Amino acid sequence: MDAADAARLLDLAGPAAWIGAPNLAAARRHALAARHPLHLLRHGLLSAAVLPGQHGPALLSLTCDHIETTSGRAPGPAEHLLASDQIFDPGLLHRARASMAALVKGRIGGPMGAVPTAMTGGPREILIAADRPLPPRADSRELPLASLEAMLADALKDHHPGQVALLLPVHRGLHAFAAKARELGCAVAQGPADLWPWVDESCHVLSLGGDAALLGLVLGRSVTAYAEGPVTGWGLTADRFEGTPRRPRNLEEVFAAICLVTTRYIDPFFGTETSFEATAELLATWRRIFEENAEIACVLGSSFWKRERLAQFFATPGCPTRFAKTPDEALQIAQDSEGRVAFWPLMSMLDFPERVRTAGVAYRRIEDGFIRSIGLGTNLMPPASLVADAQGIYFDPSGPSDLETILAEAQFDAPLRERAARLIRLQIERNITKYNLAETADDLTTPPGRRAILVPGQVEDDKSVLLGGAGITSNAELLERVRAANPEGFIVYKGHPDVEAGHRKGLVPARVLAKLADAVMPNASIVRLINWADEVHTLTSLSGFEALLRGKTVVTYGQPFYAGWGLTRDMAPPISRRGRRLTVEELVAATLILYPRYLDPVTGLPCGPEVLIDRIAHPELWPLSFLMRVRHVQGWVLRRLGLSGSVGKSFK
């Protein structure tokens, strides 16, 4: 976004320029010549990371820092509001307190230019933060050298250099100062540094009045300011500069003015205006993902057509994703770096989980998420959601998984349950499933007096069937069990899309279908079939989960992740780790919000399920690659040769 667009978004009258922009000097000259005040813009407290492959951070927040006039610095909108007689609404102050708590809980605010790491040598007593943006080609007059010298001198009056840490921007004019501080024994970091570990592990913050000062106040640290800024002068900071006296304000008022009233927040996915709370929630999610990714030394088991997408899923600010070619290489990399291996188990490496455990290496196991994409993975459509499980995997009931732990232990608060309820409504309105295929709308009629039963087929050599099938290993066997338990039911069978596409095992012979099913609907919409059915009988299919969302009775014959929580009628032996009674909203909160990761196919940024559902409504965002077209042809040939698939037919 250029300065003119930003000024319009902020409703500013007059020219504007970004603090730190290369053209700032030229903007100053033009404004001075025209005798116009120049509005200096910057990112707000909530800012994004720069991920590998991106040219710059996504714009999440925007504010006017201050105004330059022919007579000097003038206050920006936040300072002007705080200097007025404005009485802040109690609701706004309550919102400010909740927002500050969200900052602390999510450890967000300030640059997220690098994943946080503890300060070398442990906590420091004093943090010196040069936390005001500098133009890339700033000359010596624009460098805060005098202030930095004064800050360092004050810090060293009562503290040993080893108790002092400095955060400095990268600029050749500061190299000598940084070298001097290091020679004295201070810890020095230069570059876009994450403020949180530095502010959190310091008792006192010496600042130029920027983001570090505000975060220090939020964390209850003592803050001394050496330059005028939005947080200074209100009685919250000890000020070491000559400035205009201001009226006292409390922290809630200052935070509300700076972060809630005068800063605009932009949704990075759609470019629309949003709220502080929504942006903070997004950044907290990014923080969690980046911290998890920082532990991953390499990724193993990725098919070549998934590699670009996986590189985005496991990106960390300042650190591109590393891929290992062999299990031995992956283990060596992980052991050398004391990190995790993220692996997608391929048929050629089924023993790798045991090898990882034996080697004492931590791991995350990768699988497709529950709202995957438009199109099949077997047709080489890269996933837009996945899970990266650090305990096991959701479809293996023999041991715990991250999802099972969330379902068993998480506290689902009211906002999370409400979000899950909205997500359920959105899925139902948009007819969202795992693959979101274009399918036919076959006519469905149920004979009077008979229960409509849907049996979704599965890929028979799929790991969810082999591990969670409770002894049932084929679609034919599942149909036999369903028919035996429901002799008068009207049973409709729908084969799995991968089987129907000709790529996977699971074909039920026509003679068996004629005996056990009343109708076969291989190309019918799974959503339409679920809506039609009175009951869905399944082994471990995700269709059972999707049926629960739509209020249907679900009978399980295997041990899927959604069984055992009081929402399904379970025919398989119970799992002792499951027994907690959940609502559908809590099941959805765990399964679709807390457990998976989502990636926006447009921006390449981590997103929530709501964004992905919106993207699925636009098929043009999911173009077919050359390899995907070849894969479609391969499946068509196999079907023509009669090697896979079943023909839709009514038998009774």
Side-chain angles (χ1 to χ4, degrees), residues 231-283:
V231 301
T232 65
W234 313 112
L236 302 174
T237 58
D239 298 332
R240 298 288 189 268
F241 60 88
E242 292 184 5
T244 305
R246 294 170 171 174
R247 61 178 295 169
R249 288 286 193 178
N250 62 40
L251 180 57
E252 289 85 356
E253 292 172 326
V254 171
F255 187 91
I258 294 173
C259 295
L260 303 183
V261 178
T262 62
T263 297
R264 295 290 179 268
Y265 296 91
I266 299 95
D267 185 305
F269 307 108
F270 304 107
T272 54
E273 195 167 341
T274 185
S275 65
F276 176 96
E277 290 83 355
T279 307
E281 184 176 5
L282 176 65
L283 280 175

Side-chain angles (χ1 to χ4, degrees), residues 305-306 309 368 372-373 376-377 380-385 622 628:
W305 54 272
K306 293 178 182 175
R309 185 62 56 83
D368 280 338
R372 187 187 182 281
S373 62
L376 302 172
L380 309 188
M381 173 62 79
S385 75
W622 307 80
M628 292 163 65

Side-chain angles (χ1 to χ4, degrees), residues 331-353:
L331 287 175
Q332 190 63 57
I333 292 171
Q335 288 171 333
D336 290 346
S337 61
E338 297 183 352
R340 293 177 181 267
V341 175
F343 68 95
W344 200 313
L346 303 177
M347 293 301 293
S348 59
M349 45 181 284
L350 293 180
D351 65 334
F352 187 69

Side-chain angles (χ1 to χ4, degrees), residues 521-599:
M521 300 281 185
N523 299 314
S525 160
I526 185 63
V527 171
R528 193 160 185 267
L529 289 173
I530 291 172
N531 290 337
W532 159 82
D534 297 315
E535 300 176 1
V536 175
H537 289 235
T538 180
L539 194 60
T540 61
S541 172
L542 192 62
S543 300
F545 172 74
E546 292 164 348
L548 288 175
L549 271 57
R550 291 162 173 83
K552 299 295 180 176
T553 297
V554 175
V555 182
T556 65
Y557 293 77
Q559 296 169 318
F561 67 88
Y562 51 85
W565 310 104
L567 297 170
T568 54
R569 194 160 78 237
D570 302 324
M571 310 302 287
I575 297 171
S576 61
R577 298 182 307 275
R578 304 178 190 177
R580 184 185 187 187
R581 290 297 178 259
L582 299 174
T583 65
V584 173
E585 289 77 17
E586 290 167 337
L587 176 68
V588 168
T591 305
L592 297 184
I593 298 175
L594 301 180
Y595 182 51
R597 300 175 176 208
Y598 300 90
L599 196 74

Side-chain angles (χ1 to χ4, degrees), residues 26 109 117 157 228 280 285 314 411 501:
T117 55
K157 284 179 182 177
E228 194 170 16
T285 300
F314 291 102
Q411 297 300 312

